[in-house]
Amino acid sequence: MQASNGIYGVMAEFDSPNALIEASKKAREAGYRKMDAYSPFPIEEVSHEVMPGDTGVPRIVLICGLIGASTGFITQYIGEFIDYTYIIGGRPNNITNWASMIPITFELGILFAAFGAVFGMLALNGLPMPYHPVFNAPRFERASQDAFFLCIESADPLFDRGRTSQFLRGLNPLQVSEVAN
Amino acid sequence: MAQAQPIRTTDTGDTYLLPGETYTSISSTIGDVPLTAPFKTPRGWFLGFGIAFVLLMIFLVSVTWLLIRGVGVWGINIPVGWGMDIINFVWWIGIGHAGTLISAILLLLNQGWRNSINRFAEAMTLFAVACAGQYPILHLGRPWLFYWLIPYPNTHGMWPNFRSPLDWDVFAVSTYATVSILFWLVGLLPDFATLRDRATNPLVKRIYGLAACGWRGSARHWHRYEMASLLLAGLSTPLVLSVHSIISLDFAIAQVPGWQVTVFPPYFVAGAVFAGFAMVLLLMIPVRTFYGFQSYVTIRHLDVMAKVMLATGMIVVYGYFMEVFGSLYSSSKYEQYLLYNRLSGPSAWAYYGLLFCNAVAIQPLWFRRVRQNIPALMIISMIISVGMWLERYVIIVISLQREFLPSSWDIYVPTVWDWSLYLGTFGLFFTLLFLFVRVLPMINIFEIRMYLHQETERAHRNAAAHGHDHDHDHGHAHGPASAD
């Protein structure tokens, strides 16, 4: 975290999801980019304003899935046709017998992809992270229950302690506070 | 339980969320059940947990005796090498499939009503798979060598037979269990944060805090989180279809009369969902009453679940017709004899029983009054659970009792240890289930909040569209005709 003015950012609390959507829209229009919203449930419109574009998760899932499927197929190929060959049901011991290898290939593809989805999502989110400056904000424990927050971070080039607070106050929030680093 | 109870309104059976709920009431009503202090746990919970725990001890005794004496304590013989162990394996894992259907397929289909039941149904999936997993491993005879089924570098110079559906089972079931746990834990993450923020006891706060991984509800996190959930749902959907298809291949790839039927994979999957929804109803109806969750699991939920049951049940009935048609049309005397044997052989009672339970008893579900009648649903669900057990009995035992050679015909009679192990797995299932409802939020809190938001928006849009001829309340989740 950049020690701009020694604080993490300025946080405003709103009373409804719609107010938060409105506020994040206005903040984006005002040119703020390094900001984040905190809400007790996902709000698509807010995510769109705060982080437009790609999440990066699908790419990880695809790569993991392909690695999993190849692992499954290659393992079976080695086991069945190279290292320990035996004839079952009169079927040939070569690649023409690929069909019987599909179930395990499929299952391992799914398994690895699921791990990719979960751990990829956590890694991209930087979790687990037990401490974070926003937890210092007043009433932040309500962010997981019924309160809606927008935080403009001091790392933003447009950030100015006074002017940013002024801007957030103009969005009709319940309260505005500075978040210590 | 100190719960902020919203004012109850009568449930007319046409809404998925009763009016009067707010983000705050949702968080406190559901979130405070696991946060209740241990000595304030409702007595009913202790009673239920106690019974389940006794049954779990029966499970341990049965397994111990099995390990001491071997699989001979069961009623299996030659030709009936697969008895109650495989019946129960298929039965339990089938029950689990409803949970994945609710969590994955209904998510992809954007069915908002799933939000109230998905957490509980997924938990049911996990515990049912845990019970199911016991059987094939115990049936190995030397269960401690179960890892031989997994390809690992070994000094025997051997590999598992990758062309056997039994080995596909190993991969399918273990992948299914793992992915189900991942999906479930991911769903719990934001709710752990709610519990962390609501807990007053510092130790409890710390435990839920660790589980929440520092979740702070950031919009950036939610964005990736929603994408990950969607992808997990997309992965689980073909997975759940593949699992029961592969289980059906255990039978369909063999040449035993009555097993080699091409309709098996879809018929097994439909049967699994059918039995699973019956179990969800059997469990959810008492729980919603006991914990006062009637606002979240409404009569309308029960109604739609009954509809899913009826639809999958009719697919199963179609499967029965196809089996009969297959054996008549096959012009194979073994297949034709199988039908004769099912209708008038020594275990004909099971076949008639299954026809009654799965084909006849579900017909009242065509009527809305039955689907919205709680005692009727409980009775029908119980009959379905029995019926689906009988179905596996018919498929496995009747076919094996009368194989190709009359000289090797025999009768299968389950022993007391077969039954005690079956009873014992109920102990395992319910012990886990009671612990789950005690320490984890049994309804997905953040998804109910999201549902409330969406329904409020929808009501506003409708009100704007229809002018002011709306003489209803201010639009809290009123009359959501369908969840899109």
Side-chain angles (χ1 to χ4, degrees):
Chain A
M1 298 296 144
Q2 186 182 324
S4 162
N5 305 323
I7 59 167
Y8 175 76
V10 181
M11 177 94 91
E13 184 190 343
F14 298 91
D15 65 344
S16 72
N18 291 335
L20 182 63
I21 295 171
E22 207 49 45
S24 57
K25 221 172 257 172
K26 290 212 174 111
R28 186 159 190 87
E29 279 162 12
Y32 291 109
R33 292 294 175 269
K34 295 243 174 206
M35 57 175 176
D36 207 342
Y38 301 91
S39 57
F41 54 87
I43 307 171
E44 210 177 315
E45 295 90 334
V46 174
S47 296
H48 182 72
E49 298 299 333
V50 169
M51 189 180 73
D54 193 4
T55 61
V57 179
R59 216 167 304 135
I60 296 177
V61 172
L62 176 67
I63 293 168
C64 289
L66 291 176
I67 292 173
S70 331
T71 308
F73 196 84
I74 293 168
T75 310
Q76 290 181 84
Y77 191 87
I78 294 172
E80 293 279 279
F81 304 140
I82 297 174
D83 199 39
Y84 190 68
T85 54
Y86 53 111
I87 294 171
I88 296 165
R91 306 288 162 95
N93 273 324
N94 58 42
I95 195 74
T96 54
N97 198 0
W98 59 273
S100 65
M101 290 157 53
I102 292 305
I104 292 178
T105 305
F106 171 80
E107 297 297 338
L108 283 187
I110 296 279
L111 182 68
F112 280 47
F115 273 111
V118 175
F119 292 102
M121 180 271 288
L122 288 177
L124 289 172
N125 283 347
L127 298 175
M129 189 193 284
Y131 174 76
H132 191 274
V134 295
F135 285 121
N136 296 326
R139 273 177 52 80
F140 194 75
E141 74 280 359
R142 308 302 302 184
S144 66
Q145 301 172 52
D146 50 11
F148 304 86
F149 294 88
L150 181 69
C151 180
I152 297 179
E153 290 158 24
S154 60
D156 192 281
L158 289 183
F159 182 83
D160 176 274
R161 211 162 165 164
R163 254 178 296 159
T164 305
S165 303
Q166 203 57 44
F167 167 76
L168 284 175
R169 280 211 184 83
L171 300 176
N172 200 17
L174 294 178
Q175 52 135 341
V176 174
S177 57
E178 291 186 343
V179 181
N181 216 337
Chain B
M1 286 172 295
Q3 291 178 4
Q5 294 282 355
I7 299 150
R8 290 261 170 269
T9 41
T10 38
D11 192 346
T12 49
D14 53 7
T15 171
Y16 292 122
L17 189 60
L18 292 194
E21 292 292 335
T22 63
Y23 301 125
T24 319
S25 75
I26 290 168
S27 308
S28 59
T29 316
I30 306 171
D32 285 354
V33 172
L35 293 177
T36 314
F39 57 87
K40 283 191 185 148
T41 309
R43 287 228 186 103
W45 183 87
F46 279 112
L47 180 70
F49 181 75
I51 295 170
F53 196 73
V54 169
L55 293 178
L56 178 65
M57 294 302 111
I58 294 179
F59 174 77
L60 292 183
V61 170
S62 312
V63 171
T64 309
W65 186 240
L66 179 79
L67 293 182
I68 293 171
R69 296 297 300 269
V71 291
V73 301
W74 291 343
I76 49 174
N77 52 32
I78 301 296
V80 189
W82 286 4
M84 268 183 70
D85 40 332
I86 304 299
I87 297 170
N88 296 338
F89 163 65
V90 181
W91 189 78
W92 273 118
I93 206 151
I95 282 174
H97 280 25
T100 319
L101 182 101
I102 292 168
S103 62
I105 299 180
L106 296 185
L107 178 73
L108 294 184
L109 296 177
N110 206 4
Q111 297 292 308
W113 59 272
R114 63 177 271 290
N115 292 349
S116 329
I117 49 172
N118 69 345
R119 167 78 42 76
F120 194 87
E122 282 172 42
M124 186 195 77
T125 296
L126 288 179
F127 307 148
V129 171
C131 293
Q134 311 296 324
Y135 284 103
I137 291 179
L138 292 174
H139 187 248
L140 290 174
R142 288 184 288 169
W144 49 94
L145 297 177
F146 75 94
Y147 60 89
W148 285 8
L149 294 161
I150 300 161
Y152 70 103
N154 61 71
T155 52
H156 310 292
M158 294 206 340
W159 288 80
N161 177 9
F162 292 123
R163 276 174 259 180
S164 162
L166 299 180
D167 204 47
W168 303 347
D169 255 6
V170 176
F171 285 87
V173 175
S174 56
T175 299
Y176 183 50
T178 314
V179 173
S180 300
I181 288 180
L182 285 175
F183 203 176
W184 193 61
L185 287 178
V186 164
L188 276 164
L189 200 61
D191 285 359
F192 281 140
T194 303
L195 294 182
R196 170 195 68 201
D197 292 340
R198 286 194 63 82
T200 45
N201 180 320
L203 179 67
V204 173
K205 206 178 186 68
R206 191 147 295 193
I207 293 171
Y208 285 120
L210 280 175
C213 296
W215 183 263
R216 51 187 191 273
S218 148
R220 291 164 193 272
H221 291 185
W222 278 124
H223 195 188
R224 297 193 188 96
Y225 179 90
E226 286 288 278
M227 180 50 81
S229 304
L230 195 63
L231 289 170
L232 278 174
L235 293 167
S236 303
T237 301
L239 175 65
V240 68
L241 300 180
S242 82
V243 172
H244 229 63
S245 298
I246 287 177
I247 288 173
S248 80
L249 295 179
D250 291 346
F251 304 97
I253 281 189
Q255 293 180 348
V256 176
W259 288 12
Q260 217 192 15
V261 189
T262 46
V263 78
F264 259 31
Y267 157 56
F268 265 53
V269 172
V273 173
F274 180 49
F277 268 83
M279 189 58 104
V280 174
L281 280 174
L282 275 178
L283 299 175
M284 206 75 216
I285 288 172
V287 165
R288 80 191 262 280
T289 316
F290 187 74
Y291 285 102
F293 287 160
Q294 285 97 333
S295 294
Y296 311 115
V297 183
T298 62
I299 296 289
R300 180 122 194 253
H301 280 103
L302 307 181
D303 187 333
V304 285
M305 283 195 267
K307 279 184 190 161
V308 175
M309 242 160 44
L310 180 62
T312 47
M314 293 311 287
I315 299 174
V316 172
V317 172
Y318 169 77
Y320 299 151
F321 276 114
M322 285 316 292
E323 281 184 321
V324 173
F325 173 76
S327 59
L328 291 175
Y329 193 67
S330 66
S331 67
S332 149
K333 62 182 169 195
Y334 301 106
E335 292 284 346
Q336 284 163 357
Y337 175 72
L338 173 86
L339 180 63
Y340 169 77
N341 185 38
R342 278 187 179 176
L343 291 171
S344 56
S347 300
W349 56 270
Y351 192 59
Y352 291 115
L354 106 91
L355 287 180
F356 169 75
C357 294
N358 294 349
V360 179
I362 60 169
Q363 299 310 323
L365 293 176
W366 288 100
F367 303 101
R368 185 182 152 99
R369 277 183 58 189
V370 177
R371 290 197 306 268
Q372 301 201 341
N373 182 328
I374 288 178
L377 281 180
M378 287 293 279
I379 293 167
I380 292 176
S381 302
M382 220 170 292
I383 294 176
I384 291 171
S385 299
V386 174
M388 286 309 292
W389 190 89
L390 286 174
E391 179 195 305
R392 279 70 183 241
Y393 185 90
V394 165
I395 291 173
I396 293 172
V397 172
I398 294 190
S399 287
L400 289 176
Q401 280 183 161
R402 296 286 179 269
E403 260 205 15
F404 298 96
L405 279 179
S407 61
S408 52
W409 288 359
D410 205 344
I411 286 292
Y412 170 73
V413 185
T415 64
V416 63
W417 294 107
D418 280 305
W419 290 110
S420 68
L421 189 67
Y422 184 42
L423 198 63
T425 44
F426 278 97
L428 179 62
F429 180 79
F430 281 107
T431 304
L432 291 168
L433 201 70
F434 273 105
L435 289 175
F436 156 69
V437 300
R438 182 64 190 82
V439 300
L440 296 174
M442 69 193 102
I443 294 181
N444 196 324
I445 311 177
F446 88 85
E447 286 190 335
I448 297 276
R449 289 190 206 111
M450 187 165 73
Y451 187 65
L452 174 61
H453 171 60
Q454 288 165 349
E455 289 304 314
T456 315
E457 290 300 295
R458 188 201 310 278
H460 280 312
R461 275 200 308 274
N462 287 350
H466 296 135
H468 296 289
D469 56 338
H470 234 273
D471 58 339
H472 293 303
D473 62 323
H474 331 291
H476 262 144
H478 190 271
S482 72
D484 275 337

